[in-house]
Amino acid sequence: MKTFVILFLVGCASATLRPRLDGRIVGGKPVSIEDFPYQLSLQYGRSHICGASIIAPNWVLTASHCVDGRVSSQMSFRAGSSFHAGGGTVHQAKTIIMHPNYNKNTYDYDYALVQVINPFEYETKVKPVELATENPRPGSRSTVTGWGTLTSGGSIPNQLQSVDVNIISHQNCESNYGPNKISERMICAANPGKDSCQGDSGGPLVDPITKKQIGVVSWGYGCADPNYPGVYASVANKDVRAWIKTVTEI
């Protein structure tokens, strides 16, 4: 589950496969929700734990590892606010559906859909994001958004953060992580000194030109480690798109 940090994150670079659960966006900047109206703060017990995105009036897309073992009665989403701790509207979760093939050891199929009780009412600060049908080409720029600490060991900022990263080829990413680590459901992105990190998980990776979501923040070795790109669950995968359509009917 993800959050964001600004500046290089010391102590986040141990070579251990881990979901990005509660850390920061590295090298990012504060932004307004008007520019990212699909962004949600996934909250559990009223505390921000992950990112998520609006894909339909009653449906949210996030990462399976963000919702694994959690109950809907304790889960909600804050929409329409640049600040995870207040503003906007809060939407109570109704149904949590993890991808049936999710593997908690490898983070393959790291997708989850959550149905909310009170639908999102679209306006300037609250809008759905369209899901991409094709993966971006290597070298393409992409944008990740979320909330997280500004420095290693620092306090968590209340305002939404964003960072730009570049898509890495599947082959190059696999050469970094090793064989059988990067599945067909994963895409990788990196930029020197910039990355998503713990607490950003479940949040959207978006093409800044088409404004379509291309990935879900998933996992990585450390944060902004020059040897290990961030790994995202690809939403363009045909089987995954078919599952999303079957569940949500969108």
Side-chain angles (χ1 to χ4, degrees), residues 113-149:
L113 295 165
V114 183
Q115 187 178 29
V116 294
I117 295 174
N118 48 323
F120 301 103
E121 296 185 7
Y122 297 160
E123 42 99 347
T124 304
K125 298 179 181 180
V126 181
K127 294 180 182 179
V129 64
E130 185 178 350
L131 302 182
T133 56
E134 295 182 357
N135 282 329
R137 291 177 295 181
S140 300
R141 185 166 60 94
S142 54
T143 302
V144 192
T145 45
W147 288 270
T149 63

Side-chain angles (χ1 to χ4, degrees), residues 193-207:
K194 300 181 179 182
D195 196 5
S196 55
C197 197
Q198 285 84 17
D200 296 331
S201 285
L205 176 71
V206 171
D207 184 318

Side-chain angles (χ1 to χ4, degrees), residues 31-41 52-57 59-60 77-83 88-89 91 120-130 143-147 160-162 204 206-208 210-213:
V31 292
S32 172
I33 194 67
E34 283 91 345
D35 296 322
F36 305 93
Y38 46 80
Q39 175 75 49
L40 297 169
S41 168
S53 56
I54 301 170
I55 61 170
W59 288 99
V60 167
F77 300 87
R78 187 178 299 279
S81 177
S82 302
F83 309 97
T89 55
H91 301 257
F120 301 103
E121 296 185 7
Y122 297 160
E123 42 99 347
T124 304
K125 298 179 181 180
V126 181
K127 294 180 182 179
V129 64
E130 185 178 350
T143 302
V144 192
T145 45
W147 288 270
L160 184 66
Q161 307 283 310
S162 78
V206 171
D207 184 318
T210 66
K211 305 299 183 183
K212 294 181 180 180
Q213 183 171 349

Side-chain angles (χ1 to χ4, degrees), residues 206-226:
V206 171
D207 184 318
I209 297 176
T210 66
K211 305 299 183 183
K212 294 181 180 180
Q213 183 171 349
I214 55 181
V216 177
V217 179
S218 185
W219 66 278
Y221 287 173
C223 304
D225 187 316

Side-chain angles (χ1 to χ4, degrees), residues 50-204:
C50 273
S53 56
I54 301 170
I55 61 170
N58 286 90
W59 288 99
V60 167
L61 175 64
T62 188
S64 264
H65 76 258
C66 285
V67 301
D68 192 11
R70 304 186 187 275
V71 296
S72 60
S73 62
Q74 296 295 313
M75 185 178 296
S76 62
F77 300 87
R78 187 178 299 279
S81 177
S82 302
F83 309 97
H84 68 78
T89 55
V90 177
H91 301 257
Q92 180 64 44
K94 177 182 180 181
T95 306
I96 299 171
I97 303 175
M98 296 168 59
H99 195 286
N101 294 332
Y102 169 61
N103 186 320
K104 65 176 61 180
N105 295 314
T106 65
Y107 299 106
D108 199 6
Y109 289 96
D110 195 10
Y111 313 89
L113 295 165
V114 183
Q115 187 178 29
V116 294
I117 295 174
N118 48 323
F120 301 103
E121 296 185 7
Y122 297 160
E123 42 99 347
T124 304
K125 298 179 181 180
V126 181
K127 294 180 182 179
V129 64
E130 185 178 350
L131 302 182
T133 56
E134 295 182 357
N135 282 329
R137 291 177 295 181
S140 300
R141 185 166 60 94
S142 54
T143 302
V144 192
T145 45
W147 288 270
T149 63
L150 301 181
T151 59
S152 179
S155 60
I156 296 175
N158 202 13
Q159 186 169 352
L160 184 66
Q161 307 283 310
S162 78
V163 69
D164 290 337
V165 289
N166 300 316
I167 300 299
I168 306 299
S169 72
H170 192 279
Q171 181 179 6
N172 286 344
C173 191
E174 192 170 53
S175 69
N176 284 74
Y177 281 102
N180 304 317
K181 289 288 199 310
I182 308 301
S183 78
E184 294 180 1
R185 271 74 52 188
M186 299 175 188
I187 55 176
C188 303
N191 197 356
K194 300 181 179 182
D195 196 5
S196 55
C197 197
Q198 285 84 17
D200 296 331
S201 285

Side-chain angles (χ1 to χ4, degrees), residues 4-26:
F4 297 59
V5 168
I6 292 194
L7 303 178
F8 182 75
L9 196 56
V10 178
C12 191
S14 59
T16 302
L17 187 156
R18 68 180 71 166
R20 301 186 159 190
L21 295 178
D22 55 352
R24 36 273 182 187
I25 264 188
V26 183

